[in-house]
Amino acid sequence: MAAVDECLQLGREPFRRRYGFGRAITYELVLDGHCYDSKAIAGVAHLYSVGDLLSADDFSGGARTVAHRLRALGFTVTDGSDVTHEPREVAPQIVLQPRGGPRDRGPGNFAKSVRQGVQIAEIRDALGEQADVLTALYPDGIARLWGATPTTQVNNEKVRALRNRRVGDDVLFYAENHFIARARILHLFDSLAVAREVWGTDEENATWEHIMALGEVEEFPTPVFAPPILRSLSARVPLRSLTLRSAEDYRRVAEMLPERRRSALPRPTAPRPAPSPQLTAEDLLDRIGSLGTPLGSGNETPSRHQPLALLWAISRIAAGKPRLAPWSSFRTEVSPLLSSFGLPGSKVTPEDPFWHLQDSGLWEVHGVPSDAGPHPQAGLLDTVQPVAGLTRASAELLQNPLTRLEAVVKLSSTHLDDVDQRALFSRAGLAGYATADGMFDGDEGGGGQESVDTEQTTGPTERRESTASRLVRNAAIAAQVKELHGHACQICETRLQYRRRPYSEAAHIRGLGSPHDGPDELPNLLCLCPNHHVLFDGLEIYIDVDGIVRRTHEGNSLGRLRQHADHEIDETYLRYHRTLCELNSLTRK
């Protein structure tokens, strides 16, 4: 029922696209006068119940699996030729889309309107009748858009691509002789007003008015060398213009491209604003601050059960897990937190926050009988196995890393200020908040400290094999920030030499690692010496709103951060780092 509710709120098409399902060809679930795609509902219901999304490929056949199971659960499922109101899906074509270089503002436009997305509310006046379409396609309020300028020619490659591309086609973004990203076309429209609002105009007052609304955006971790693919498609090398190839051509080169990622829930890499006017980030923090904390039995100190359960729920969002979880998972994972970090001597009752967090307006429960009373007991929950978790609106807000961090700070400072917060964060899956760069890479374990065995031995130092997983960083952007500043630290002006070459380090302000999920882009970088890089990542220093570098714990100034006209730093990332330093100060009390 939670899956049905989400589909009803999103709409069938956005729901299918969110989770990677096609239209129902034969079997539809019918409930309260509405029709639903049976496989999509069953797959997402499995996600809600056990945390694992089933795809269409996981079902061997509609009759023997989905329809049979849904009917056994008492649902009505249509069967046969009566499902004719939607056409069968057409195999996608492939659209080859040059991103453009710095002169064309390609990297910046890609980061702005595809990677980060465009707030629909900010361009609503320009959208006109397209506003309702985009709102239905993007329930989070963020549209992923790309466009093309008109051409005066009659039948060249670009004209044919603009004329024959269609909804459902895949788009491959091309830059510097590589394919860097893939997306799917959700909607096509022409709008000069929207293009000017989003991308502005060039020197000839032209703009990208042939617009694609995109979904399933996926940047390749390792860019794909393009020439072999382009030659197989009989396309120009290097790619200079928008190009379209058939579904058959696409199938022929599909094995040369990365497989599509499959994940339980979409995980954005950029901040996302409030998805609806009913709940804002400020509302979310206010509700966390006034969270109901019933007094512990025989104790005047408020119970920590609800704040601990909410912290656990936030950690699920940070890890990209489903917002709703079954009672069995909640009890297994939250009970140890209540036991270790609840009030000393208090009884561990996970059923209390599981049910009563609904009073906060940030939490919902599905599957408890209406006659269960005001306080369902653990035995009943064990029997009916309901699901519970953050509401859709609060979960969408917490996808924004800054909002999520501010929520953790609010919980910590208001309700959990007298517990060992470092230990709590580690147990709850939020250990990444200990540093600005998130979870340590495999070769950085221990914050740069070497692993030391207590037993001393003589002779050569032993070696042990290890496996590491490292984030893939953009070396070109790191080199750019260093060159802009002449390898001089923006804090202390130091210029180091190493092996007769200048040496400096590119420091991310909002870390790339989990749970920060910062973007790898120039506005999120600083050029620092190794000493100040360590202090910045270790949350020992921060940059205040006036551009002054300060020590986190003493507050004294180290001077003004040196700026460069061609290196614009995003204040949002600096604010995130300051908030992280605030949390670090709380955990050291």
Side-chain angles (χ1 to χ4, degrees):
M1 293 307 298
V4 166
D5 175 66
E6 181 176 359
C7 182
L8 190 62
Q9 293 194 36
L10 292 180
R12 288 180 66 175
E13 176 72 12
F15 180 79
R16 289 195 303 260
R17 292 197 178 280
R18 167 173 282 192
Y19 294 106
F21 285 90
R23 300 182 181 94
I25 302 301
T26 304
Y27 297 101
E28 284 188 322
L29 170 67
V30 181
L31 183 65
D32 297 331
H34 295 279
C35 295
Y36 304 88
D37 301 277
S38 57
K39 285 186 180 180
I41 293 296
V44 177
H46 196 268
L47 168 66
Y48 278 147
S49 61
V50 300
D52 181 24
L53 175 70
L54 296 181
S55 73
D57 294 337
D58 293 319
F59 299 108
S60 58
R64 297 190 305 275
T65 56
V66 179
H68 174 76
R69 185 58 176 161
L70 291 176
R71 286 169 178 154
L73 291 170
F75 292 98
T76 299
V77 180
T78 62
D79 182 0
S81 60
D82 54 328
V83 185
T84 58
H85 55 279
E86 289 187 306
R88 289 177 177 266
E89 286 199 279
V90 178
Q93 304 174 108
I94 184 171
V95 179
L96 309 176
Q97 173 67 68
R99 184 203 62 186
R103 179 176 298 180
D104 303 318
R105 297 176 296 164
N109 283 334
F110 183 87
K112 173 184 177 182
S113 64
V114 177
R115 180 183 298 136
Q116 179 174 332
V118 180
Q119 296 186 32
I120 295 174
E122 293 185 356
I123 61 171
R124 185 170 294 276
D125 291 342
L127 281 170
E129 63 182 12
Q130 299 295 333
D132 291 340
V133 178
L134 294 190
T135 300
L137 287 173
Y138 302 101
D140 61 358
I142 303 294
R144 316 286 170 173
L145 304 178
W146 194 257
T149 55
T151 176
T152 57
Q153 299 190 37
V154 178
N155 197 33
N156 64 359
E157 190 81 68
K158 182 175 182 179
V159 170
R160 291 192 295 272
L162 290 172
R163 181 174 61 237
N164 297 321
R165 62 185 177 171
R166 61 194 180 215
V167 171
D169 288 345
D170 276 358
V171 180
L172 281 181
F173 283 92
Y174 172 92
E176 299 173 352
N177 220 25
H178 288 76
F179 289 117
I180 61 170
R182 172 171 49 203
R184 181 153 292 172
I185 300 177
L186 304 183
H187 180 57
L188 294 165
F189 65 101
D190 295 340
S191 174
L192 181 61
V194 171
R196 285 175 173 169
E197 189 75 19
V198 175
W199 300 294
T201 58
D202 60 19
E203 297 176 354
E204 299 177 357
N205 203 35
T207 188
W208 300 354
E209 59 188 86
H210 299 300
I211 300 174
M212 299 183 289
L214 302 173
E216 303 175 35
V217 177
E218 174 187 358
E219 293 190 61
F220 299 142
T222 302
V224 179
F225 190 54
I229 299 174
L230 293 174
R231 294 188 186 101
S232 296
L233 295 170
S234 300
R236 181 175 177 178
V237 182
L239 186 69
R240 300 293 188 189
S241 176
L242 183 69
T243 301
L244 178 69
R245 290 295 183 263
S246 69
E248 182 179 350
D249 290 334
Y250 189 11
R251 283 192 292 269
R252 193 171 66 252
V253 300
E255 63 182 18
M256 303 170 70
L257 297 166
E259 292 187 5
R260 284 194 177 277
R261 290 197 301 257
R262 289 176 53 192
S263 59
L265 283 176
R267 193 172 181 195
T269 59
R272 300 171 71 177
S276 70
Q278 284 74 34
L279 186 69
T280 66
E282 290 74 16
D283 294 334
L284 177 80
L285 298 177
D286 287 344
R287 294 185 187 188
I288 290 175
S290 58
L291 194 66
T293 51
L295 294 180
S297 177
N299 196 321
E300 295 183 359
T301 305
S303 169
R304 300 175 187 149
H305 280 29
Q306 289 191 26
L308 288 169
L310 197 58
L311 188 72
W312 168 84
I314 292 173
S315 75
R316 288 177 62 85
I317 300 299
K321 296 180 180 179
R323 63 185 178 89
L324 299 179
W327 158 247
S328 58
S329 297
F330 180 92
R331 179 187 57 195
T332 300
E333 297 175 20
V334 173
S335 293
L337 298 179
L338 305 184
S339 176
S340 299
F341 302 100
L343 293 177
S346 63
K347 186 177 180 181
V348 176
T349 54
E351 63 272 20
D352 289 341
F354 184 87
W355 180 255
H356 290 295
L357 265 172
Q358 293 178 96
D359 297 336
S360 68
L362 305 174
W363 190 265
E364 60 186 48
V365 180
H366 299 276
V368 175
S370 58
D371 57 356
H375 192 132
Q377 298 300 305
L380 173 65
L381 302 181
D382 288 340
T383 300
V384 301
Q385 284 296 325
V387 296
L390 294 162
T391 63
R392 184 175 296 106
S394 55
E396 291 283 359
L397 284 166
L398 289 165
Q399 295 284 2
N400 181 326
L402 176 58
T403 302
R404 187 167 64 238
L405 173 59
E406 289 175 336
V408 172
V409 171
K410 191 72 170 181
L411 272 172
S412 302
S413 60
T414 307
H415 306 291
L416 303 170
D417 59 340
D418 52 353
V419 304
D420 184 343
Q421 292 183 3
R422 283 183 176 268
L424 171 59
F425 291 165
S426 179
R427 290 274 296 277
L430 295 172
Y433 283 132
T435 67
D437 208 26
M439 298 299 290
F440 293 119
D441 288 340
D443 64 340
E444 297 175 321
Q449 301 297 319
E450 296 181 11
S451 174
V452 180
D453 289 333
T454 56
E455 182 179 351
Q456 299 295 318
T457 61
T458 60
T461 303
E462 293 184 358
R463 295 180 179 269
R464 62 168 63 97
E465 293 185 0
S466 63
T467 301
S469 174
R470 304 196 62 180
L471 293 164
V472 178
R473 295 170 168 85
N474 189 328
I477 297 176
Q480 183 181 2
V481 74
K482 296 175 186 180
E483 290 171 4
L484 282 173
H485 293 277
H487 291 274
C489 177
Q490 289 183 256
I491 294 176
C492 66
E493 305 270 352
T494 298
R495 285 183 170 86
L496 296 175
Q497 291 284 322
Y498 179 67
R499 293 183 177 179
R500 300 182 180 180
R501 299 179 63 182
Y503 180 82
S504 59
E505 296 182 353
H508 287 87
I509 303 169
R510 199 183 95 205
L512 304 187
S514 176
H516 312 311
D517 300 324
D520 197 10
E521 61 184 22
L522 188 61
N524 190 35
L525 284 178
L526 296 173
C527 178
L528 300 179
C529 67
N531 284 351
H532 282 116
H533 190 175
V534 169
L535 292 175
F536 190 84
D537 280 357
L539 307 177
E540 298 293 338
I541 57 176
Y542 68 93
I543 302 162
D544 70 15
V545 293
D546 296 318
I548 305 298
V549 183
R550 297 189 179 278
R551 297 189 185 275
T552 300
H553 305 291
E554 295 83 10
N556 54 306
S557 169
L558 299 181
R560 181 174 295 277
L561 184 77
R562 183 173 50 79
Q563 303 276 6
H564 190 285
D566 294 329
H567 178 204
E568 184 176 350
I569 299 171
D570 193 324
E571 170 61 24
T572 304
Y573 303 141
L574 294 176
R575 177 185 167 191
Y576 184 93
H577 185 268
R578 289 195 294 270
T579 307
L580 199 59
C581 289
E582 179 185 352
L583 178 62
N584 186 53
S585 296
L586 292 172
T587 61
R588 290 194 175 190
K589 287 182 178 179

Coordinates of all heavy atoms in Angstrom, one line a residue, residues 201-243:
T201 N 22.0 33.9 -23.2 CA 22.2 34.0 -24.7 C 23.7 34.1 -25.0 O 24.5 34.5 -24.1 CB 21.4 35.1 -25.4 OG1 21.9 36.4 -24.8 CG2 20.0 34.9 -25.1
D202 N 24.1 33.8 -26.2 CA 25.5 34.0 -26.6 C 25.7 35.3 -27.3 O 24.8 36.2 -27.2 CB 25.9 32.8 -27.6 CG 25.1 32.8 -28.9 OD1 24.4 33.8 -29.2 OD2 25.1 31.8 -29.6
E203 N 26.9 35.6 -27.9 CA 27.2 36.9 -28.4 C 26.3 37.2 -29.6 O 26.1 38.4 -29.9 CB 28.6 36.9 -28.9 CG 29.7 36.7 -27.8 CD 31.1 36.6 -28.3 OE1 31.2 36.5 -29.6 OE2 32.0 36.5 -27.5
E204 N 25.6 36.2 -30.2 CA 24.7 36.5 -31.3 C 23.3 36.5 -30.8 O 22.3 36.4 -31.7 CB 24.9 35.5 -32.4 CG 26.3 35.6 -33.0 CD 26.6 34.5 -34.1 OE1 25.6 33.7 -34.3 OE2 27.6 34.5 -34.7
N205 N 23.1 36.5 -29.5 CA 21.7 36.5 -28.9 C 21.0 35.2 -29.2 O 19.7 35.2 -29.1 CB 20.9 37.7 -29.4 CG 19.8 38.1 -28.4 OD1 20.0 38.0 -27.2 ND2 18.7 38.5 -28.9
A206 N 21.7 34.1 -29.5 CA 21.0 32.8 -29.6 C 21.1 32.1 -28.3 O 21.9 32.3 -27.5 CB 21.7 32.1 -30.7
T207 N 20.2 31.1 -28.2 CA 20.2 30.3 -27.0 C 19.6 28.9 -27.3 O 19.2 28.6 -28.5 CB 19.3 30.9 -25.9 OG1 19.5 30.2 -24.7 CG2 17.9 31.0 -26.3
W208 N 19.6 28.0 -26.4 CA 19.3 26.6 -26.6 C 17.8 26.3 -26.5 O 17.3 25.7 -25.5 CB 20.0 25.7 -25.6 CG 21.5 25.8 -25.6 CD1 22.3 26.5 -26.5 CD2 22.4 25.2 -24.7 NE1 23.6 26.3 -26.3 CE2 23.8 25.5 -25.2 CE3 22.3 24.4 -23.6 CZ2 24.9 25.1 -24.5 CZ3 23.5 24.0 -22.9 CH2 24.7 24.3 -23.4
E209 N 17.0 26.8 -27.4 CA 15.6 26.8 -27.2 C 14.9 25.5 -27.5 O 13.8 25.3 -27.2 CB 15.0 27.9 -28.1 CG 15.2 27.8 -29.6 CD 14.8 29.0 -30.3 OE1 15.5 30.0 -30.4 OE2 13.6 29.0 -30.8
H210 N 15.6 24.5 -28.2 CA 15.0 23.1 -28.4 C 15.4 22.3 -27.1 O 16.5 21.8 -27.0 CB 15.6 22.5 -29.6 CG 15.3 23.3 -30.9 ND1 14.0 23.5 -31.3 CD2 16.1 23.9 -31.8 CE1 14.0 24.2 -32.4 NE2 15.3 24.4 -32.7
I211 N 14.5 22.1 -26.2 CA 14.8 21.7 -24.8 C 14.4 20.2 -24.6 O 13.3 19.8 -25.0 CB 14.1 22.6 -23.8 CG1 14.6 24.0 -24.0 CG2 14.4 22.1 -22.4 CD1 13.9 25.0 -23.1
M212 N 15.3 19.5 -24.0 CA 15.0 18.1 -23.5 C 14.9 18.1 -22.0 O 15.8 18.7 -21.3 CB 16.2 17.2 -23.9 CG 16.4 17.0 -25.4 SD 17.7 15.8 -25.7 CE 19.2 16.7 -25.1
A213 N 13.8 17.6 -21.5 CA 13.7 17.3 -20.0 C 14.3 15.9 -19.8 O 13.8 14.9 -20.4 CB 12.3 17.4 -19.6
L214 N 15.2 15.7 -18.9 CA 16.0 14.5 -18.8 C 15.7 13.8 -17.5 O 15.5 14.4 -16.4 CB 17.5 14.7 -18.9 CG 17.9 15.4 -20.2 CD1 19.4 15.7 -20.1 CD2 17.7 14.5 -21.4
G215 N 15.8 12.5 -17.5 CA 15.7 11.7 -16.3 C 16.8 10.6 -16.3 O 17.5 10.4 -17.3
E216 N 16.9 9.9 -15.2 CA 17.9 8.8 -15.1 C 19.3 9.3 -15.5 O 20.1 8.6 -16.2 CB 17.5 7.6 -15.9 CG 16.1 7.0 -15.6 CD 15.7 5.9 -16.5 OE1 16.6 5.1 -17.0 OE2 14.5 5.8 -16.8
V217 N 19.6 10.5 -15.0 CA 20.9 11.1 -15.3 C 22.0 10.3 -14.6 O 21.9 10.1 -13.4 CB 21.0 12.5 -14.9 CG1 22.4 13.1 -15.2 CG2 19.9 13.3 -15.7
E218 N 23.0 9.9 -15.3 CA 24.1 9.0 -14.8 C 25.4 9.5 -15.4 O 25.7 9.3 -16.5 CB 23.8 7.6 -15.1 CG 24.9 6.6 -14.7 CD 24.7 5.2 -15.2 OE1 23.7 5.0 -15.9 OE2 25.6 4.4 -15.0
E219 N 26.3 10.1 -14.5 CA 27.6 10.4 -15.0 C 28.5 9.2 -14.8 O 28.6 8.6 -13.8 CB 28.2 11.6 -14.1 CG 27.4 12.9 -14.4 CD 28.0 14.1 -13.8 OE1 29.2 14.4 -14.2 OE2 27.4 14.7 -12.9
F220 N 29.3 8.9 -15.8 CA 30.1 7.7 -15.8 C 31.3 7.9 -14.9 O 32.0 8.9 -15.0 CB 30.7 7.4 -17.2 CG 29.6 7.1 -18.2 CD1 29.7 7.5 -19.5 CD2 28.5 6.4 -17.8 CE1 28.7 7.2 -20.5 CE2 27.5 6.1 -18.8 CZ 27.6 6.5 -20.1
P221 N 31.6 7.0 -13.9 CA 32.7 7.2 -13.0 C 34.0 7.3 -13.8 O 34.9 8.1 -13.4 CB 32.7 5.9 -12.2 CG 31.3 5.4 -12.3 CD 30.8 5.8 -13.6
T222 N 34.1 6.5 -14.9 CA 35.3 6.6 -15.8 C 34.8 7.0 -17.2 O 34.0 6.2 -17.8 CB 36.1 5.3 -15.8 OG1 36.5 5.0 -14.5 CG2 37.3 5.4 -16.8
P223 N 35.1 8.2 -17.7 CA 34.7 8.5 -19.1 C 35.0 7.4 -20.1 O 36.0 6.8 -20.0 CB 35.4 9.8 -19.4 CG 35.7 10.4 -18.0 CD 35.9 9.2 -17.1
V224 N 34.1 7.3 -21.1 CA 34.3 6.2 -22.1 C 34.9 6.8 -23.3 O 34.4 7.8 -23.9 CB 32.9 5.6 -22.4 CG1 33.0 4.5 -23.5 CG2 32.3 5.0 -21.1
F225 N 36.0 6.2 -23.8 CA 36.7 6.7 -25.0 C 35.7 6.6 -26.2 O 35.2 5.5 -26.5 CB 37.9 5.9 -25.2 CG 38.8 6.4 -26.3 CD1 39.3 7.7 -26.3 CD2 39.2 5.6 -27.4 CE1 40.1 8.2 -27.3 CE2 40.0 6.1 -28.4 CZ 40.5 7.4 -28.3
A226 N 35.5 7.7 -26.9 CA 34.3 7.8 -27.8 C 34.6 7.3 -29.2 O 33.7 6.8 -29.9 CB 33.8 9.2 -27.8
P227 N 35.8 7.5 -29.8 CA 36.0 7.2 -31.2 C 35.6 5.8 -31.7 O 34.9 5.7 -32.7 CB 37.5 7.4 -31.4 CG 37.9 8.5 -30.4 CD 37.0 8.2 -29.2
P228 N 35.9 4.7 -31.0 CA 35.4 3.4 -31.5 C 33.9 3.3 -31.6 O 33.3 2.8 -32.5 CB 35.9 2.4 -30.4 CG 37.1 3.1 -29.8 CD 36.7 4.5 -29.7
I229 N 33.2 4.0 -30.6 CA 31.7 3.9 -30.7 C 31.2 4.8 -31.8 O 30.3 4.4 -32.5 CB 31.1 4.4 -29.3 CG1 31.6 3.5 -28.2 CG2 29.6 4.5 -29.4 CD1 31.2 4.0 -26.8
L230 N 31.8 6.0 -32.0 CA 31.4 6.9 -33.0 C 31.6 6.3 -34.4 O 30.7 6.4 -35.3 CB 32.1 8.2 -32.9 CG 31.8 9.1 -31.7 CD1 32.7 10.3 -31.6 CD2 30.4 9.5 -31.7
R231 N 32.7 5.6 -34.6 CA 33.0 4.9 -35.9 C 32.0 3.8 -36.1 O 31.5 3.6 -37.2 CB 34.4 4.4 -35.9 CG 35.5 5.5 -35.9 CD 36.9 5.0 -36.1 NE 37.9 6.0 -35.9 CZ 38.6 6.1 -34.8 NH1 38.5 5.3 -33.8 NH2 39.5 7.1 -34.8
S232 N 31.6 3.0 -35.1 CA 30.7 2.0 -35.2 C 29.3 2.5 -35.6 O 28.5 1.8 -36.3 CB 30.5 1.2 -33.9 OG 31.7 0.5 -33.6
L233 N 29.0 3.8 -35.2 CA 27.7 4.4 -35.5 C 27.8 5.2 -36.8 O 26.9 5.9 -37.1 CB 27.3 5.3 -34.4 CG 27.0 4.6 -33.0 CD1 26.8 5.6 -31.9 CD2 25.7 3.7 -33.2
S234 N 29.0 5.2 -37.5 CA 29.2 6.0 -38.7 C 29.0 7.5 -38.4 O 28.4 8.2 -39.2 CB 28.3 5.6 -39.8 OG 28.5 4.2 -40.2
A235 N 29.4 7.9 -37.2 CA 29.3 9.3 -36.8 C 30.7 10.0 -36.9 O 31.7 9.3 -36.9 CB 28.8 9.4 -35.4
R236 N 30.6 11.3 -37.0 CA 31.9 12.1 -37.2 C 32.8 12.0 -35.9 O 32.3 12.0 -34.8 CB 31.5 13.5 -37.5 CG 32.7 14.4 -37.7 CD 32.3 15.8 -38.1 NE 33.5 16.7 -38.2 CZ 33.4 18.0 -38.6 NH1 32.2 18.5 -38.9 NH2 34.5 18.7 -38.7
V237 N 34.1 11.9 -36.2 CA 35.1 11.9 -35.1 C 36.0 13.0 -35.3 O 36.7 13.1 -36.4 CB 35.9 10.5 -35.0 CG1 36.9 10.6 -33.9 CG2 34.9 9.3 -34.9
P238 N 36.2 14.0 -34.4 CA 35.4 14.1 -33.2 C 34.0 14.6 -33.4 O 33.7 15.2 -34.5 CB 36.2 15.2 -32.4 CG 36.8 16.0 -33.4 CD 37.2 15.1 -34.6
L239 N 33.1 14.3 -32.4 CA 31.7 14.7 -32.6 C 31.5 16.2 -32.5 O 32.0 16.8 -31.5 CB 30.9 14.0 -31.5 CG 29.4 14.2 -31.5 CD1 28.8 13.4 -32.7 CD2 28.7 13.7 -30.3
R240 N 30.9 16.8 -33.5 CA 30.8 18.3 -33.5 C 29.3 18.7 -33.4 O 29.1 19.9 -33.0 CB 31.3 18.8 -34.8 CG 32.8 18.5 -35.0 CD 33.7 19.3 -34.0 NE 35.1 19.2 -34.3 CZ 36.1 19.5 -33.5 NH1 35.8 20.1 -32.4 NH2 37.3 19.4 -33.9
S241 N 28.4 17.8 -33.7 CA 27.0 18.3 -33.8 C 26.1 17.2 -33.2 O 26.4 16.0 -33.1 CB 26.6 18.5 -35.2 OG 25.2 18.9 -35.3
L242 N 24.9 17.7 -32.7 CA 23.8 16.8 -32.2 C 23.6 15.7 -33.3 O 23.4 16.1 -34.5 CB 22.6 17.6 -32.0 CG 21.4 16.8 -31.4 CD1 21.7 16.4 -29.9 CD2 20.1 17.7 -31.4
T243 N 23.6 14.5 -32.9 CA 23.5 13.3 -33.9 C 22.6 12.3 -33.3 O 22.6 12.0 -32.1 CB 24.9 12.7 -34.1 OG1 25.8 13.7 -34.6 CG2 24.8 11.6 -35.1

